[in-house]
Amino acid sequence: METPEREEVLAAVEASVRAGEAPEAWAGRLRALQPFDVAELLSRLPEDGRLAVLAALPPDVAAESLEHLTPEVQYRILDRLGPDGSLTLLLHMSSDAVADLLLSLHPNQAARLREALPLGYREELERLMTFPEHTAGSLASVDYVAAREHWTVDEALAHVRKVAREAETLNYVYVLDARGRLVGVVSLRELLLASGGDRLGAIARRDVISVRATTDQEEAARILARYDFVALPVVGDDGRMVGIVTVDDLVDVIHEEAMEDIQRLGGSLPLRESYFRTPVLGLFRRRVGWLLVLFVAESYTSAVLAHFQTTLAQVVALSFFIPLLTGTGGNIGSQTVATLVRSLAVGEVGFRDILRVAAKEALTGVLLGAAMAVAAYVRAAMMGVGFPVGSVVATGALFIGLWASIVAAVLPIALHRLRVDPAVVSGPLITTLVDGTGLFIYFSLARLMLGV
Amino acid sequence: METPEREEVLAAVEASVRAGEAPEAWAGRLRALQPFDVAELLSRLPEDGRLAVLAALPPDVAAESLEHLTPEVQYRILDRLGPDGSLTLLLHMSSDAVADLLLSLHPNQAARLREALPLGYREELERLMTFPEHTAGSLASVDYVAAREHWTVDEALAHVRKVAREAETLNYVYVLDARGRLVGVVSLRELLLASGGDRLGAIARRDVISVRATTDQEEAARILARYDFVALPVVGDDGRMVGIVTVDDLVDVIHEEAMEDIQRLGGSLPLRESYFRTPVLGLFRRRVGWLLVLFVAESYTSAVLAHFQTTLAQVVALSFFIPLLTGTGGNIGSQTVATLVRSLAVGEVGFRDILRVAAKEALTGVLLGAAMAVAAYVRAAMMGVGFPVGSVVATGALFIGLWASIVAAVLPIALHRLRVDPAVVSGPLITTLVDGTGLFIYFSLARLMLGV
């Protein structure tokens, strides 16, 4: 089913539900939709329509659809469903989604939902809820398939069938010891290939790749991507299994981290929520800090210009090219930083490479500076400022290009070494650092070459 | 197994292999490694060591390890293995990896490998190889589980067991008709829950979410992330199944696309290869185009300054604040663009929101401009330029903040509407556009407020 078709089905079901048609009239088309699409439908419908749609779906599909909605909408629906209806859905939702929901509700609302849950499950959830945001533990789900070493392959397969409906992934069966510690893993593939009488203890892989619950989610995403796994087990400090993080959660993490890197590179703290959910004051607060830091750093430029004010007063034409030269230096620095920051983040470039990178960027900077020198000379000639000023501008462009490249190559690598997130080195920061020093180069050249 | 342990095992096996110890001495530790780690080991070893390691591994693990190496190293190893050894590995490699390998080798080398393959598989590969880079087809693998409608669940499960070793994922069984067209899908979960005698035709989901082979890989990644699938079927224009793209390939796509967005935002064309594999001239070429475009756009600033040269000559102190004001405007614009570009890319913000976003950013811009105005006035006072010039600088900061926010809000949305990739609106581009117009605002205010 491709996108236009999907939109048609959505619109048709929406119209039928809004018209109050009996479920038999639209339930067939509804079942053709994936949970993500059902969620889209639910978000378009008034509350009564939502309840009608959920009632017409098998509980596992209804629960998965609910997971795609915001916590407020989830709560409003669960509240309307009453204790029994909401319990059924909560038990069919994946445990990481339930934990997220409980964490984002008002404590009173959360308590009301929590009370309905069976005690054992509630305890598992409460454990998941203790892990801070951005850790692997905070993404973990307890809906995994666990088995014991002495089980046979046939017993394990029978168990897989039994829990198939609840489990988030069937790809791996995790072997736990009597104390709940993770001691091995068998993939479903291996299970299907093994003979039915084999013991899991004999076929399980012992060196299980796992992460700690306190591991950063970005690190977990990196490990999962590296090994091409579909899920990664998460263990506590005591070695006991906490749950699994699945690839779909980590795809969201990768998207989120890229978004954060981009915002930091743009010179802003990353937003905590989506753009439209962040109020104006929130945008202001995420941006004003860096702006003030950059402003103070940039203030240096006014000191440089004041220092050279006699030169400036004598040759006013020099000032015409200030934004052109600082702008070009900033652009070259920004290009270099954008290229390096991501290579640093994925580990392709490290501190050991600092000289190699600096040399490479210096060479590129000379070439770019030379190209900009030609452009600057042409522009100066067009402005009719004469050969001497034109030469100063062109030479300035060359040296600023070289300088900007070196600063933008060395700074992120050095800060990365100091464990500062390299994305803190934003384009604006490099631009600011290069502005003042670039002007110093420019006016020093002017004094030297023009003798003013 | 956590990272330090893994490094120890790697080093120990490497030492043993280099010392020429018999495989029995290290094969046990070798088998504890995942294919990704084996690839790391292979890349550290001399050629003879590589062959010894591969010979000590089951062919499916050896083949998967090979997939993590560069095409050149893959070819060198396959060449040394001779026709039989290389055929075994090629048949165990996933078909998208083999297609990639064949496409990146010299035609003569590719032909030599291709000749060894069985005819049917060769034809399937050749079909995969026809799809251009960055399409879903170019990532597709033919190693999926296919079944027919009239099969029973038990027959399908027996088939899954039979092909388990070769298939890239067992999560879905794709139901094809006699002409190879995709007509349904059954998840392994559903297969395990169904009764053994049911026909696939009766339990398969009909409205299969699929992508065309010519669909952009980024779009495929988006669909997969939206529906939380582990694999997505790829069909040709004739509806015939081409293969599947799996979530691990699409995780790589997401990383790649984020990297490209970041480089574009930094004002550079994205590199085609990794940083160290791109020569200096390559870096130069990816950057110089935008630099020249920006230079020409920035040239406007020198015209603005020339236009106001009498004002400048009369009040030289005004020039001290040029980089501060253009810098602040550029920073505010760069923050706004970084926030919006990604929201545009993921579809959170669209053309319909242009007024809403402009209003929100204008309000934020006024607040940021006011904060910067205070900072600018303080700085002007510290420089001792007097109240009148200080007021001009402060008022300039306010208006430039407002203006930069609006430009940076409206431009990416408008260009997105015109189907220009919003990431082309880089920080440097906004900075450049805001520089000239910002100076115009500043000097107009100076004329108005100082009467010069």
Side-chain angles (χ1 to χ4, degrees):
Chain A
M1 180 155 62
E2 291 172 48
T3 316
E5 248 179 277
R6 164 190 172 260
E7 188 43 52
E8 268 170 47
V9 177
L10 268 180
V13 180
E14 186 190 350
S16 300
V17 176
R18 278 182 182 273
E21 289 174 26
E24 299 74 49
W26 43 264
R29 275 167 300 164
L30 178 66
R31 299 230 172 120
L33 294 173
Q34 295 284 335
F36 177 88
D37 297 326
V38 175
E40 165 96 37
L41 174 68
L42 291 173
S43 68
R44 294 188 196 171
L45 284 172
E47 213 145 289
D48 288 331
R50 290 174 179 170
L51 299 183
V53 164
L54 289 171
L57 286 168
D60 52 337
V61 179
E64 206 182 325
S65 308
L66 212 58
E67 292 178 17
H68 290 283
L69 297 169
T70 62
E72 298 84 63
V73 178
Q74 288 180 29
Y75 180 75
R76 243 183 297 148
I77 291 174
L78 291 170
D79 197 43
R80 280 284 305 269
L81 284 173
D84 287 353
S86 64
L87 182 59
T88 311
L89 283 190
L90 283 172
L91 292 178
H92 278 93
M93 281 170 72
S94 65
S95 52
D96 53 333
V98 178
D100 282 349
L101 170 64
L102 293 177
L103 281 171
S104 41
L105 290 180
H106 185 277
N108 289 342
Q109 298 175 328
R112 211 184 317 166
L113 289 185
R114 194 153 30 180
E115 272 162 27
L117 297 170
L119 188 64
Y121 186 50
R122 203 158 65 187
E123 282 172 356
E124 282 185 309
L125 277 179
E126 273 156 15
R127 185 160 178 226
L128 290 184
M129 287 164 66
T130 58
F131 301 113
E133 261 196 290
H134 298 290
T135 60
S138 75
L139 296 175
S141 152
V142 296
D143 315 311
Y144 57 90
V145 186
R148 300 296 294 278
E149 285 189 80
H150 58 82
W151 290 9
T152 63
V153 166
D154 277 340
E155 283 169 339
L157 278 174
H159 180 64
V160 168
R161 274 177 203 258
K162 211 173 70 188
V163 300
R165 210 181 286 281
E166 279 79 42
E168 275 221 38
T169 173
L170 304 178
N171 289 51
Y172 311 103
V173 173
Y174 298 98
V175 183
L176 307 185
D177 69 10
R179 301 166 83 176
R181 283 179 303 208
L182 177 64
V183 293
V185 64
V186 188
S187 71
L188 184 59
R189 188 188 303 254
E190 288 157 341
L191 222 47
L192 290 172
L193 291 169
S195 2
D198 287 353
R199 301 269 164 204
L200 290 194
I203 62 166
R205 160 179 279 274
R206 294 286 159 183
D207 309 279
V208 188
I209 308 268
S210 63
V211 289
R212 298 274 171 136
T214 48
T215 302
D216 189 90
Q217 59 179 12
E218 202 175 357
E219 172 69 8
R222 241 193 313 265
I223 293 176
L224 194 110
R226 182 197 289 164
Y227 294 113
D228 296 343
F229 291 156
V230 175
L232 200 58
V234 179
V235 296
D237 288 336
D238 50 2
R240 278 174 58 212
M241 179 122 175
V242 169
I244 53 169
V245 284
T246 47
V247 67
D248 52 307
D249 292 325
L250 291 173
V251 164
D252 296 340
V253 168
I254 295 170
H255 270 300
E256 210 177 282
E257 302 281 350
M259 183 100 151
E260 289 186 3
D261 277 0
I262 286 177
Q263 293 186 44
R264 285 210 194 87
L265 265 172
S268 165
L269 296 178
L271 303 184
R272 286 164 198 275
E273 291 195 275
S274 72
Y275 179 71
F276 284 122
R277 290 169 70 94
T278 308
V280 167
L281 270 177
L283 291 178
F284 174 76
R285 268 197 294 266
R286 309 304 286 168
R287 295 178 186 171
V288 73
W290 267 113
L291 278 184
L292 285 171
V293 170
L294 294 170
F295 187 89
V296 171
E298 183 86 40
S299 290
Y300 178 55
T301 57
S302 48
V304 171
L305 291 173
H307 177 71
F308 287 104
Q309 61 183 304
T310 47
T311 316
L312 256 176
Q314 277 180 274
V315 193
V316 175
L318 285 173
S319 70
F320 301 166
F321 303 95
I322 290 175
L324 250 181
L325 291 176
T326 56
T328 297
N331 292 342
I332 292 179
S334 162
Q335 291 181 325
T336 304
V337 163
T339 305
L340 286 179
V341 155
R342 208 56 201 185
S343 302
L344 277 165
V346 300
E348 193 202 332
V349 170
F351 188 68
R352 61 188 181 285
D353 305 308
I354 192 163
L355 289 179
R356 198 170 148 209
V357 172
K360 186 166 188 168
E361 289 298 332
L363 219 58
T364 312
V366 167
L367 292 178
L368 292 173
M372 292 302 113
V374 173
Y377 189 80
V378 170
R379 178 62 190 159
M382 281 166 60
M383 303 268 303
V385 296
F387 178 75
V389 172
S391 312
V392 172
V393 175
T395 319
L398 175 67
F399 279 101
I400 289 174
L402 171 61
W403 172 240
S405 297
I406 296 174
V407 172
V410 170
L411 199 72
I413 301 181
L415 286 181
H416 187 68
R417 171 69 167 190
L418 300 172
R419 297 187 181 281
V420 178
D421 187 331
V424 165
V425 187
S426 58
L429 180 66
I430 294 290
T431 305
T432 302
L433 293 179
V434 170
D435 276 1
T437 44
L439 287 174
F440 191 83
I441 293 173
Y442 175 51
F443 282 104
S444 301
L445 284 170
R447 278 203 181 158
L448 207 72
M449 293 171 67
L450 304 180
V452 289
Chain B
M1 179 154 63
E2 289 170 50
T3 315
E5 251 180 275
R6 164 188 171 260
E7 188 44 52
E8 268 171 46
V9 176
L10 267 181
V13 180
E14 185 189 350
S16 301
V17 175
R18 278 183 181 274
E21 289 174 28
E24 299 74 48
W26 43 264
R29 275 168 299 163
L30 178 66
R31 299 231 174 120
L33 294 174
Q34 295 284 334
F36 177 88
D37 298 325
V38 175
E40 166 96 38
L41 174 68
L42 291 173
S43 68
R44 294 187 196 172
L45 284 172
E47 213 145 288
D48 288 332
R50 290 175 179 171
L51 299 183
V53 165
L54 288 172
L57 286 168
D60 53 336
V61 180
E64 206 183 325
S65 308
L66 212 59
E67 292 178 17
H68 290 284
L69 298 169
T70 62
E72 298 85 63
V73 177
Q74 288 180 31
Y75 180 75
R76 243 183 296 147
I77 291 174
L78 290 170
D79 196 43
R80 279 285 304 268
L81 284 173
D84 287 354
S86 65
L87 183 60
T88 310
L89 283 190
L90 283 172
L91 291 178
H92 278 93
M93 280 169 72
S94 66
S95 51
D96 53 334
V98 177
D100 282 350
L101 171 63
L102 293 177
L103 280 171
S104 41
L105 291 179
H106 185 278
N108 288 343
Q109 298 175 327
R112 209 180 321 164
L113 289 184
R114 195 153 27 179
E115 272 163 25
L117 297 170
L119 188 65
Y121 185 49
R122 202 157 65 184
E123 280 172 357
E124 283 185 308
L125 277 179
E126 273 156 17
R127 184 158 179 228
L128 290 184
M129 288 163 66
T130 58
F131 302 113
E133 261 196 289
H134 298 291
T135 61
S138 74
L139 296 174
S141 150
V142 295
D143 315 313
Y144 57 90
V145 185
R148 301 294 295 277
E149 285 189 79
H150 57 80
W151 290 8
T152 63
V153 166
D154 277 341
E155 283 169 339
L157 279 173
H159 180 64
V160 168
R161 272 177 204 257
K162 210 174 71 191
V163 299
R165 211 180 285 281
E166 278 79 42
E168 275 223 36
T169 172
L170 304 178
N171 290 49
Y172 311 103
V173 173
Y174 298 98
V175 182
L176 306 186
D177 70 9
R179 301 166 83 173
R181 285 178 304 208
L182 177 64
V183 294
V185 64
V186 189
S187 72
L188 185 59
R189 187 187 304 253
E190 288 157 342
L191 221 46
L192 291 171
L193 291 169
S195 359
D198 286 353
R199 301 271 164 203
L200 290 193
I203 63 166
R205 161 180 278 275
R206 294 286 158 181
D207 309 278
V208 189
I209 310 268
S210 63
V211 289
R212 298 275 170 136
T214 48
T215 302
D216 189 272
Q217 60 179 10
E218 202 174 357
E219 172 68 10
R222 237 191 317 261
I223 293 176
L224 194 111
R226 182 197 289 166
Y227 293 113
D228 296 343
F229 292 155
V230 174
L232 200 57
V234 179
V235 295
D237 287 335
D238 50 2
R240 280 174 57 211
M241 180 126 176
V242 169
I244 52 169
V245 285
T246 48
V247 66
D248 52 307
D249 292 326
L250 291 173
V251 164
D252 297 339
V253 168
I254 295 171
H255 270 300
E256 211 177 280
E257 302 279 350
M259 183 100 149
E260 290 186 3
D261 277 359
I262 286 177
Q263 294 186 42
R264 286 212 194 86
L265 265 172
S268 164
L269 295 179
L271 304 185
R272 286 164 198 275
E273 291 195 277
S274 72
Y275 180 70
F276 284 122
R277 289 170 70 94
T278 307
V280 167
L281 270 179
L283 290 177
F284 173 76
R285 268 197 293 265
R286 310 302 288 166
R287 294 177 187 172
V288 72
W290 266 114
L291 278 184
L292 286 172
V293 169
L294 294 170
F295 186 90
V296 171
E298 184 86 40
S299 291
Y300 178 57
T301 57
S302 47
V304 171
L305 291 173
H307 176 72
F308 287 104
Q309 60 182 306
T310 47
T311 315
L312 258 175
Q314 276 179 275
V315 194
V316 174
L318 285 174
S319 71
F320 301 166
F321 304 96
I322 291 175
L324 250 180
L325 291 176
T326 55
T328 298
N331 292 343
I332 293 179
S334 162
Q335 290 182 326
T336 305
V337 163
T339 305
L340 286 180
V341 154
R342 208 57 202 183
S343 303
L344 277 165
V346 299
E348 192 202 333
V349 170
F351 188 68
R352 60 189 181 283
D353 306 308
I354 192 163
L355 289 179
R356 197 170 151 207
V357 172
K360 187 166 188 169
E361 290 298 331
L363 219 58
T364 313
V366 167
L367 293 177
L368 292 172
M372 292 302 112
V374 173
Y377 189 81
V378 170
R379 177 63 190 160
M382 282 166 61
M383 303 268 302
V385 295
F387 177 75
V389 171
S391 310
V392 172
V393 175
T395 320
L398 176 66
F399 279 101
I400 287 173
L402 172 61
W403 171 239
S405 299
I406 296 176
V407 171
V410 170
L411 200 71
I413 302 182
L415 286 182
H416 187 68
R417 171 70 168 190
L418 300 172
R419 298 189 180 280
V420 179
D421 187 333
V424 164
V425 187
S426 57
L429 180 66
I430 294 291
T431 305
T432 302
L433 292 180
V434 170
D435 276 0
T437 45
L439 288 174
F440 190 83
I441 294 173
Y442 175 50
F443 282 104
S444 301
L445 283 170
R447 277 203 181 160
L448 207 72
M449 294 169 68
L450 304 180
V452 289

